[in-house]
Amino acid sequence: MQKLSLSQSLQQKLSPQQIQFIKLLQIPTAELDTRIEEELEINPALEEGMDEEFDQKEDDDPYDDTDDFKDRDDDLDIDGYIQDEDYAGYKMQGDGNYGEEDRDMPLATSSSLMDSLLQQFGYLNLTEEQRTIGYQLIGSIEADGYIRRSVQAIVNDLAFSQNVFTDAEEVEDVLHKIQSFDPAGIGARSLPECLLLQLRRKDQSDPYNILAIRIIDEFFDEFSKKHYDKIQRRLNISDESLKKVIDIIIRLNPKPGSMEGEAGNIQYLIPDFLLTNNNGKLELSLNSKNAPELRISRSFADMLDTYDKSNKKQNKNLKETVSFVKQKLDAAKWFIDAIKQRQQTLLRTMNAIVRYQYDFFLTGDESRLRPMILKDIATLIDMDVSTVSRVANSKAVQTEFGIYPLKYFFSEGISTDTGEDVSSREVKNILRDLIDAEPKLHPLSDDKLEKILNDRGYNIARRTVAKYREQLNIPVARLRKQL
């Protein structure tokens, strides 16, 4: 029996209503308005405004027996149908690989970069499926211009959120088209790929450009560690040639997304939650944009009632009209319920995060952050980890101390000599302070950093010190040395 791929298994497991709800759950506040506008355009039975009470008796409901969504609660129960630990873009355990630079300006993004990419994308002659893939890829590009999600993860996302079933080869093909856009290096998945994309646009008749490509492609590890003598021996090149090649490479942009980030074009993402401190009591609310007023069109419901009471029920055209009206009413009712359940799921998840990290939200002191993984919150609210992951992956909260992505609050725990667990984020902050204060002529090695942290009561191994240092984008001691 042939083993099903994840995309195929998802297609079999999820109903269209579940897929639509998950899409609603995943999108941030800034995109919700657009999604609602789309639904309003395609469904005349849906209107903006306060819900109205219909004085219809239950047995007079003309669409009661044919309501495809009458088991709506079951349709919207998305817990438990998938257990993929890394499906929503970061792992259930650990600190989510959340960049420390993004912590300082957690939600600043350049709108002009996205506009520029979408404009260039519009010139491509693509199929509808390729366009959907392209939008997913462009949406995955981070503020610095990189795509850090794997191709297979994007394939799974397309199946899960867009109902588009493709493969890695087709996604790679569209990605290569996007990587031809300006700024050069955009859409790279690693620093070497970013540099190669830029180098390959340079004059290929210039031998130094060709040499630069070869060094990045074949000797990037040696280059990044400044083992220039090894590169010279392997390529048999002179000091002068090496100097010219290095000069070419260091002029490349390691963060192509930042090229578009002029101060006047930066916008801040809209927070999904608002958290206020009312005389020592934390109060959480949804951004009003997350709670739109939607209702069933009264005229559409009246139309169905009129058709239902008509004496011409056997008329074929009338039957088709009634079927169309019922379909639109059912879809409108489901969409309104889905929006409401989205609100409830968001609030349940965020309330649990606030309870878990209460001391931090009360004081803003990062040392008060507790170690927390997705499973901790899932257990508190009795939901599946994948549901919590989808909420936390794309949402943000406005606090008195700034706007934070929810991913910021998830981190692994480090034990201390007293038997307590502290957040890895606290350890990273200490590590950063130690390196900032180190003697520049004799920077601290990972072994020395490990000893200092252990002396302070943090039970941490050297390999963990190295991992945290890399996540802070701090090079090894040899490369930090300054004369």
Side-chain angles (χ1 to χ4, degrees):
M1 183 177 179
Q2 187 177 5
K3 186 177 180 181
L4 292 175
S5 68
L6 176 57
S7 298
Q8 291 171 322
S9 61
L10 282 175
Q11 188 177 19
Q12 290 186 1
K13 287 183 177 181
L14 303 182
S15 70
Q17 290 76 37
Q18 287 173 327
I19 292 173
Q20 288 299 316
F21 176 71
I22 291 162
K23 289 169 65 176
L24 283 174
L25 185 62
Q26 288 185 151
I27 62 175
T29 300
E31 299 176 18
L32 184 61
D33 280 347
T34 301
R35 175 65 185 90
I36 291 174
E37 287 173 8
E38 290 174 356
E39 194 70 20
L40 288 168
E41 287 180 6
I42 64 174
N43 193 345
L46 186 67
E47 292 181 347
E48 290 185 283
M50 294 290 290
D51 192 17
E52 295 180 1
E53 295 292 333
F54 294 100
D55 297 326
Q56 290 179 319
K57 295 181 181 179
E58 186 175 341
D59 56 356
D60 289 336
D61 186 349
Y63 41 85
D64 179 67
D65 293 335
T66 58
D67 187 355
D68 292 334
F69 303 93
K70 59 185 177 182
D71 294 326
R72 191 170 293 105
D73 291 339
D74 293 335
D75 286 331
L76 297 185
D77 181 10
I78 62 171
D79 292 341
Y81 60 81
I82 185 169
Q83 300 290 336
D84 189 347
E85 293 183 358
D86 198 22
Y87 195 79
Y90 65 100
K91 295 180 180 178
M92 290 193 299
Q93 300 196 30
D95 57 8
N97 199 24
Y98 182 70
E100 292 297 319
E101 289 183 356
D102 291 335
R103 177 182 65 82
D104 296 331
M105 292 289 285
L107 291 175
T109 60
S110 170
S111 60
S112 61
L113 173 62
M114 188 63 66
D115 292 341
S116 174
L117 294 177
L118 290 174
Q119 184 178 20
Q120 295 174 75
F121 186 67
Y123 293 130
L124 298 181
N125 184 19
L126 302 174
T127 65
E128 191 64 31
E129 181 173 300
Q130 287 175 320
R131 288 202 169 278
T132 302
I133 294 171
Y135 289 134
Q136 187 78 15
L137 286 167
I138 291 174
S140 299
I141 294 177
E142 299 183 14
D144 56 3
Y146 286 83
I147 292 180
R148 291 186 171 84
R149 302 216 62 203
S150 69
V151 169
Q152 188 56 51
I154 291 173
V155 169
N156 295 338
D157 277 352
L158 285 161
F160 196 75
S161 61
Q162 303 289 340
N163 207 22
V164 171
F165 299 91
T166 182
D167 54 34
E169 184 178 353
E170 187 173 18
V171 172
E172 288 267 9
D173 182 58
V174 177
L175 176 58
H176 291 155
K177 291 179 170 60
I178 292 172
Q179 289 176 339
S180 69
F181 294 172
D182 290 324
I186 201 72
R189 290 158 288 180
S190 65
L191 178 57
E193 184 178 33
C194 177
L195 301 179
L196 286 171
L197 288 170
Q198 296 175 61
L199 287 169
R200 285 169 181 153
R201 294 202 194 183
K202 292 183 176 293
D203 182 4
Q204 298 301 292
S205 64
D206 186 332
Y208 294 113
N209 288 336
I210 298 298
L211 194 56
I213 290 174
R214 189 174 176 191
I215 287 175
I216 296 300
D217 193 29
E218 300 177 24
F219 306 103
F220 180 77
D221 190 51
E222 291 84 352
F223 178 81
S224 64
K225 294 176 180 177
K226 298 185 179 180
H227 293 162
Y228 298 139
D229 54 336
K230 293 182 180 180
I231 297 174
Q232 280 187 274
R233 288 198 301 269
R234 296 286 297 276
L235 296 178
N236 193 25
I237 58 176
S238 65
D239 289 346
E240 183 181 355
S241 295
L242 180 63
K243 184 178 179 181
K244 288 183 178 180
V245 171
I246 291 175
D247 188 57
I248 290 173
I249 295 174
I250 63 176
R251 291 177 184 272
L252 301 175
N253 186 2
K255 295 184 178 182
S258 63
M259 293 178 65
E260 301 289 329
E262 299 299 329
N265 292 329
I266 289 185
Q267 296 180 344
Y268 288 88
L269 296 184
I270 302 169
D272 302 84
F273 307 94
L274 307 175
L275 187 66
T276 56
N277 187 335
N278 187 2
N279 295 322
K281 181 181 179 181
L282 296 179
E283 296 180 351
L284 179 70
S285 62
L286 273 176
N287 187 319
S288 60
K289 290 183 177 292
N290 267 312
E293 296 291 350
L294 297 172
R295 67 186 182 193
I296 301 292
S297 167
R298 182 60 184 258
S299 60
F300 231 70
D302 289 344
M303 185 190 308
L304 183 59
D305 188 46
T306 301
Y307 285 143
D308 186 67
K309 294 176 182 177
S310 171
N311 294 324
K312 301 178 180 179
K313 290 184 179 180
Q314 300 305 315
N315 183 284
K316 181 180 178 181
N317 291 335
L318 182 58
K319 280 186 176 181
E320 291 176 355
T321 301
V322 170
S323 176
F324 171 80
V325 173
K326 285 181 178 179
Q327 180 186 7
K328 293 301 181 183
L329 282 169
D330 289 341
K333 289 165 63 181
W334 180 88
F335 189 79
I336 291 171
D337 283 354
I339 290 291
K340 289 178 180 177
Q341 182 155 338
R342 178 184 187 273
Q343 297 166 9
Q344 294 166 3
T345 304
L346 292 181
L347 282 172
R348 283 180 65 190
T349 304
M350 190 63 219
N351 269 312
I353 294 173
V354 171
R355 290 199 304 273
Y356 208 96
Q357 303 288 8
Y358 195 85
D359 288 343
F360 167 79
F361 286 115
L362 204 59
T363 64
D365 184 353
E366 289 188 4
S367 66
R368 299 289 188 92
L369 280 172
R370 298 171 58 192
M372 183 178 78
I373 59 176
L374 295 172
K375 189 175 181 181
D376 294 327
I377 301 303
T379 301
L380 274 179
I381 60 178
D382 193 26
M383 282 190 176
D384 191 78
V385 171
S386 61
T387 304
V388 176
S389 177
R390 287 177 182 87
V391 172
N393 196 43
S394 58
K395 307 297 185 300
V397 58
Q398 172 75 62
T399 74
E400 294 182 350
F401 319 107
I403 301 176
Y404 293 86
L406 299 197
K407 287 197 296 185
Y408 177 71
F409 305 110
F410 292 89
S411 64
E412 61 190 347
I414 300 295
S415 63
T416 66
D417 287 344
T418 61
E420 296 180 285
D421 273 354
V422 297
S423 168
S424 61
R425 198 172 304 282
E426 177 182 338
V427 179
K428 286 182 184 179
N429 287 337
I430 296 172
L431 184 61
R432 191 207 300 271
D433 291 342
L434 289 173
I435 292 174
D436 286 345
E438 70 185 0
K440 301 306 177 187
L441 188 59
H442 301 288
L444 300 171
S445 67
D446 290 345
D447 287 328
K448 290 181 179 178
L449 290 168
E450 175 198 6
K451 186 177 185 306
I452 293 172
L453 288 168
N454 287 341
D455 289 343
R456 293 191 181 187
Y458 298 99
N459 299 324
I460 185 170
R462 189 203 63 80
R463 63 179 178 274
T464 308
V465 171
K467 181 181 77 169
Y468 288 173
R469 176 179 51 72
E470 290 170 0
Q471 290 176 353
L472 290 167
N473 293 320
I474 297 174
V476 295
R478 180 172 55 81
L479 299 182
R480 301 199 306 272
K481 184 176 180 179
Q482 297 178 14
L483 298 177

